[in-house]
Amino acid sequence: AQKVTQAQTEISVVEKEDVTLDCVYETRDTTYYLFWYKQPPSGELVFLIRRNSFDEQNEISGRYSWNFQKSTSSFNFTITASQVVDSAVYFCALKSIPALGNTPLVFGKGTRLSVIA
Amino acid sequence: DTGVSQDPRHKITKRGQNVTFRCDPISEHNRLYWYRQTLGQGPEFLTYFQNEAQLEKSRLLSDRFSAERPKGSFSTLEIQRTEQGDSAMYLCASSLARASGSSHEQYFGPGTRLTVT
């Protein structure tokens, strides 16, 4: 079975602080993809990043960075120098690619980030 | 705007009524997905189409729910005899699957918020 755990339900930080959102996943498949999505108050899920299971290189995009560690089944997301516009619910998601059949995209419960000016 | 669109954005209905939602995917995307999101939860997969074929349905999709994608473009999700437990955000997403492989990222619409009174 596939599962995504985001243990942090809510986080509040003061603007310009760095913040890390944790994501732990479970899958028996060796091929899988991991995603992060942002859901601002408007409600639309915005795709941020995709990572496949064979690429453990960390990635940086502006103030965003992602740390993928297969040894701990984690795919954590760090926002550097947070801004008020970063306030949103962030979801980690997993799509396993089994040898046969198909699996759906499985989401965690999300972490609500509030950045206070 | 060439993103995923959904209509209506909000729907209030009385218990027992039927409702229908529409999703228009990104034009070149051949896969279309429906999800349901309740308060404080991540999106949960309901069903997906590849072109006009409905390839998978979640056990969450009771017999009161039906989805169609008749021409492989837009899709409709109908809920018959609505119940208060159907109140949720219904999200549509689309992706592109190529014969050479799929990147698997899904792009989401703004959702339809259903309230059953």
Side-chain angles (χ1 to χ4, degrees):
Chain A
Q2 291 77 41
K3 186 178 178 182
V4 175
T5 302
Q6 295 180 255
Q8 304 150 307
T9 306
E10 294 190 35
I11 301 176
S12 285
V13 298
V14 176
E15 203 170 22
K16 297 184 183 176
E17 286 185 349
D18 300 346
V19 58
T20 295
L21 310 181
D22 297 334
C23 172
V24 174
Y25 63 92
E26 294 177 32
T27 179
R28 294 179 184 172
D29 297 304
T30 56
T31 303
Y32 51 89
Y33 290 85
L34 294 162
F35 303 83
W36 276 95
Y37 284 86
K38 174 182 180 180
Q39 190 173 43
S42 61
E44 187 164 345
L45 279 159
V46 177
F47 166 76
L48 295 178
I49 190 171
R50 168 183 60 91
R51 224 44 191 159
N52 76 55
S53 52
F54 300 108
D55 182 2
E56 283 193 78
Q57 272 196 327
N58 293 327
E59 184 159 337
I60 298 175
S61 176
R63 297 184 296 107
Y64 295 171
S65 61
W66 292 269
N67 184 335
F68 176 28
Q69 293 198 336
K70 286 178 77 170
S71 60
T72 55
S73 297
S74 66
F75 186 43
N76 296 338
F77 174 28
T78 297
I79 302 174
T80 303
S82 59
Q83 299 176 1
V84 172
V85 294
D86 295 328
S87 297
V89 181
Y90 290 86
F91 290 96
C92 181
L94 164 70
K95 181 168 176 64
S96 291
I97 311 297
L100 291 173
N102 183 58
T103 62
L105 189 58
V106 174
F107 285 82
K109 292 188 175 182
T111 297
R112 180 177 298 279
L113 174 66
S114 298
V115 181
I116 304 163
Chain B
D1 190 321
T2 57
V4 179
S5 61
Q6 292 186 246
D7 183 69
R9 295 291 307 275
H10 303 272
K11 178 71 176 178
I12 300 173
T13 191
K14 292 185 178 178
R15 190 176 53 188
Q17 298 294 304
N18 299 344
V19 294
T20 300
F21 310 141
R22 176 179 170 126
C23 170
D24 287 87
I26 293 172
S27 58
E28 64 269 26
H29 284 184
N30 50 7
R31 285 188 176 171
L32 186 149
Y33 308 81
W34 285 99
Y35 292 82
R36 183 175 70 186
Q37 185 180 20
T38 53
L39 202 61
Q41 302 294 316
E44 296 174 292
F45 170 77
L46 292 178
T47 187
Y48 96 95
F49 294 83
Q50 173 131 345
N51 300 314
E52 65 275 9
Q54 188 172 17
L55 295 187
E56 188 168 345
K57 291 193 282 188
S58 160
R59 57 180 172 77
L60 293 176
L61 209 68
S62 77
D63 56 6
R64 295 184 298 104
F65 288 67
S66 62
E68 293 182 346
R69 194 183 184 197
K71 297 181 180 178
S73 56
F74 73 91
S75 175
T76 58
L77 177 69
E78 181 183 16
I79 308 174
Q80 295 183 326
R81 305 181 303 281
T82 53
E83 301 173 356
Q84 287 188 321
D86 296 332
S87 295
M89 175 79 87
Y90 290 85
L91 294 164
C92 176
S94 69
S95 70
L96 178 62
R98 298 188 182 90
S100 57
S102 172
S103 59
H104 299 286
E105 57 251 37
Q106 297 176 19
Y107 294 89
F108 283 79
T112 294
R113 183 170 295 285
L114 173 66
T115 302
V116 182
T117 62

